[in-house]
């Protein structure tokens, strides 16, 4: 991963090649790797304060080893008695540029106090290990205490959330899970969301899971599907086009909402991800989902554009991405999003609802795209998401007319959505 491969892919490959590891060891390995990436800036600062800058450590693998020792010390509260057997030679069998003594010093030397930056945004960037430019941009939008809560949440290992199927059966599913000995609880922000309290992953072996009553899905992602509903009504029997279906998470939710008399038309520019969506649709036997190419957008009553984005709302799951993003890349995403929204809008019939959504917390990809679109398209109006969510959920997950499902108020990742109604022929 330190050589540039996506963390998710690098970790998957390493675990595939690792023999003799049990489930608990594999989960710890994945967690530790994400933690080293998640807290990289703070760990590197600690190393510098101890006189061991990463530039002095020859191999990237050894840089990771120093970070690991510091992570176990600072975040896990462990001493050399525990850390030493994990990192010292003969340890990982490979070339090494550092000695055990250096790692012991990293763990046992008193940690000097770091001088605090003058800027509140930079202090938060250091404390929660984010690029300074990223936090400075968010500081223009969010008050300091709200921003601190958002960064802290994006800095944590995410909990496992599920969507209950069919909609409206959450209490029955929770009762069935309890009978199987799995602890789970409802999540207030979304009507069908549950969080697993049991960390053993036994839920995947339950009858409830194997019978198709649960789908792994983030809470904010569930809310995007919710705001595709008509205000005060139902999607049952309607046609919904999932324009950027990806791996099909929202496609499955929309299929449950439209029911057997409705249709979901799914498409995506990535053939690989769309193949995954097809497989998931087959797994759940959802005959109301089709994959026509090109998508007949003018046939749809609702068009969901889950636009390609920076994924900054998902940094808890893929922390390495925060070190790869730049302001220039954000601008490129914004241009792509605007072009996609314009293209879909041209093909939508009058009366159609377009839901524009991202898993980004950057205003350039969210409100700015919608506001620029409305300025160019007087044939569209913005409908408040609160009309669909209701007052209680809107208080948690809405900001003005928009869905802004942000942690910690809404657990999980950060998501955005806007409801755009075509009122006349454009």
């Amino acid at each position: 991963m330190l050589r540039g491969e996506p963390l998710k892919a690098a970790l998957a490959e390493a675990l595939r090649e690792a023999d003799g590891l049990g489930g608990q060891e594999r989960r710890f390995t994945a967690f530790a790797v994400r933690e080293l990436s998640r807290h990289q800036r703070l760990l590197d600062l600690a190393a510098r304060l101890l006189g061991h800058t990463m530039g002095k450590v020859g191999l990237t693998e050894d840089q990771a080893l120093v970070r690991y020792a510091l992570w176990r010390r600072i975040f896990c509260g462990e001493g050399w008695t525990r850390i030493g057997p994990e990192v010292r030679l003969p340890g990982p069998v490979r070339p090494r540029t550092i000695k055990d003594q250096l790692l012991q010093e990293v763990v046992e030397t008193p940690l000097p106090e770091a001088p605090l930056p003058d800027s509140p945004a930079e202090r938060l960037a250091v404390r929660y290990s984010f690029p300074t430019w990223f936090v400075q941009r968010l500081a223009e939008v969010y008050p300091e205490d709200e921003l601190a809560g958002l960064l802290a949440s994006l800095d944590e290992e995410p909990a496992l959330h599920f969507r209950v199927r069919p909609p409206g059966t959450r209490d029955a599913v929770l009762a069935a899970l309890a009978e199987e000995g799995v602890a789970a609880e409802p999540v207030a922000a979304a009507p069908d969301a549950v969080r697993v309290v049991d960390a053993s992953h036994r839920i995947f072996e339950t009858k409830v899971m194997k019978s198709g009553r649960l789908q792994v899905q983030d809470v904010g992602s569930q809310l995007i599907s919710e705001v595709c509903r008509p205000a005060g009504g139902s999607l049952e029997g309607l046609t919904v086009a999932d324009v950027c279906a990806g791996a099909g998470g929202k496609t499955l939710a929309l299929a449950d909402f439209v029911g057997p008399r409705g249709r979901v038309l799914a498409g995506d520019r990535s053939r690989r991800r769309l193949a995954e969506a097809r497989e998931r649709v087959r797994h759940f036997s959802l005959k109301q989902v089709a994959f026509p190419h090109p998508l007949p957008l003018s046939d749809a009553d609702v068009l969901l554009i889950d636009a390609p984005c920076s994924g900054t709302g998902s940094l808890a799951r893929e922390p390495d991405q925060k070190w790869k993003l730049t302001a220039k890349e954000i601008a490129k995403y914004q241009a792509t999003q605007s072009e996609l929204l314009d293209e879909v809008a041209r093909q939508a019939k009058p009366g159609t609802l377009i839901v524009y959504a991202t898993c980004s917390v950057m205003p350039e990809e969210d409100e700015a795209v919608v506001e620029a679109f409305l300025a160019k398209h007087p044939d569209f109006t913005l409908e408040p998401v609160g009309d669909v969510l209701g007052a209680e959920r809107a208080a948690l997950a809405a900001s003005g007319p928009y869905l802004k499902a942000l942690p910690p108020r809404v657990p999980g990742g950060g998501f955005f959505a806007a409801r755009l109604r075509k009122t006349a022929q454009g």
Side-chain angles (χ1 to χ4, degrees):
M1 186 272 288
L2 292 173
R3 294 195 182 101
E5 280 190 51
L7 182 150
K8 199 172 179 181
L11 182 59
E13 182 181 352
L15 290 175
R16 266 197 311 271
E17 294 174 354
D19 295 325
L21 293 183
Q24 188 173 345
E25 292 164 317
R26 288 172 179 273
R27 284 194 291 275
F28 176 79
T29 300
F31 172 62
V33 170
R34 286 192 292 270
E35 283 281 278
L36 296 195
S37 181
R38 191 172 280 139
H39 303 298
Q40 183 174 311
R41 182 172 183 174
L42 196 61
L43 295 172
D44 287 0
L45 172 61
R48 286 200 303 277
L49 291 172
L50 292 168
H52 302 294
T53 60
M54 287 302 162
K56 293 180 181 178
V57 181
L59 296 175
T60 54
E61 291 90 340
D62 289 336
Q63 293 173 12
L65 206 56
V66 171
R67 289 184 183 125
Y68 177 82
L70 283 167
W71 171 67
R72 293 289 275 155
R73 171 187 178 175
I74 297 169
F75 287 90
C76 305
E78 301 290 356
W80 182 247
T81 304
R82 183 68 181 268
I83 300 170
E86 297 173 353
V87 298
R88 71 163 73 100
L89 290 171
V93 182
R94 55 171 180 72
R96 181 184 283 191
T97 59
I98 55 177
K99 296 181 179 179
D100 292 343
Q101 182 61 33
L102 183 145
L103 292 171
Q104 186 170 355
E105 289 172 8
V106 160
V107 172
E108 295 186 336
T109 303
L111 193 60
E113 193 169 321
L116 291 174
D118 294 332
S119 157
E122 192 166 358
R123 283 200 298 273
L124 289 174
V126 172
R127 168 66 185 84
Y128 296 109
S129 271
F130 282 86
T132 299
W133 72 267
F134 176 78
V135 179
Q136 285 174 336
R137 181 64 190 98
L138 293 180
E140 296 172 13
V141 182
Y142 300 105
E144 187 174 344
D145 57 342
E146 189 177 344
L147 178 56
L150 173 61
L151 294 175
S153 299
L154 293 177
D155 221 18
E156 295 174 351
E157 186 74 2
L160 202 52
H161 293 96
F162 294 83
R163 182 180 67 86
V164 168
R165 310 179 60 247
T169 61
R170 181 164 66 181
D171 289 347
V173 166
L174 287 172
L177 285 173
E179 284 183 13
E180 294 196 62
V182 174
E185 60 189 16
V187 177
D192 299 311
V194 298
R195 173 175 41 237
V196 176
V197 181
D198 186 342
S200 70
H201 287 65
R202 286 185 303 125
I203 189 168
F204 292 101
E205 301 304 317
T206 61
K207 294 176 185 175
V208 175
M209 190 76 193
K210 290 178 178 179
S211 65
R213 298 295 302 279
L214 288 171
Q215 173 199 340
V216 177
Q217 190 174 29
D218 222 332
V219 179
S221 180
Q222 295 182 44
L223 287 170
I224 289 173
S225 302
E226 289 286 335
V227 301
C228 290
R229 296 175 183 265
S234 165
L235 281 173
E236 194 166 351
L238 298 181
T239 297
V240 180
D242 191 355
V243 179
C244 304
K250 297 178 189 67
T251 305
L252 301 182
L254 293 169
D256 285 341
F257 290 160
V258 303
R261 295 188 298 107
R263 286 194 305 159
V264 176
L265 311 173
D268 197 275
R269 292 176 181 175
S270 168
R271 291 184 180 181
R272 178 186 60 79
R273 299 190 74 203
L274 202 58
E276 189 176 341
R278 289 176 189 272
E279 183 55 38
R280 295 176 81 183
V281 165
R282 278 195 293 271
H283 174 76
F284 286 104
S285 302
L286 296 169
K287 300 189 185 307
Q288 62 268 47
V289 180
F291 296 87
H293 182 75
L295 286 175
L297 300 182
S298 60
D299 291 350
D301 303 298
V302 178
L303 291 156
L304 171 59
I305 307 172
D306 187 11
C309 70
S310 61
T312 48
S314 302
L315 290 176
R317 296 193 188 283
E318 299 185 64
D320 59 317
Q321 294 305 309
K322 63 184 172 183
W323 308 119
K324 299 175 182 178
L325 271 177
T326 64
K328 192 173 181 179
E329 283 184 81
I330 299 291
K332 287 181 182 177
Y333 278 118
Q334 185 185 39
T336 299
Q337 291 151 359
S338 297
E339 290 169 9
L340 181 57
L341 189 50
D342 286 342
E343 179 186 337
V344 172
R346 280 194 299 271
Q347 299 180 60
K349 63 186 178 184
T352 297
L353 173 67
I354 294 179
V355 174
Y356 170 79
T358 72
C359 57
S360 172
V361 297
M362 302 300 287
E364 293 93 331
E365 301 180 88
D366 297 340
E367 298 96 326
V369 170
V370 174
E371 288 161 11
F373 173 81
L374 289 169
K376 292 188 296 182
H377 295 271
D379 51 323
F380 277 83
T381 58
L382 182 64
E383 296 183 350
V385 298
D387 293 350
V388 180
L389 296 178
E392 186 179 343
R393 291 193 176 94
L396 290 173
S399 176
Y402 302 116
L403 174 73
K404 294 200 77 170
L406 301 176
R409 283 188 305 158
V410 176
F415 294 83
F416 171 89
R419 288 167 55 91
L420 301 161
R421 180 77 65 180
K422 189 166 188 176
T423 55
Q425 188 65 48

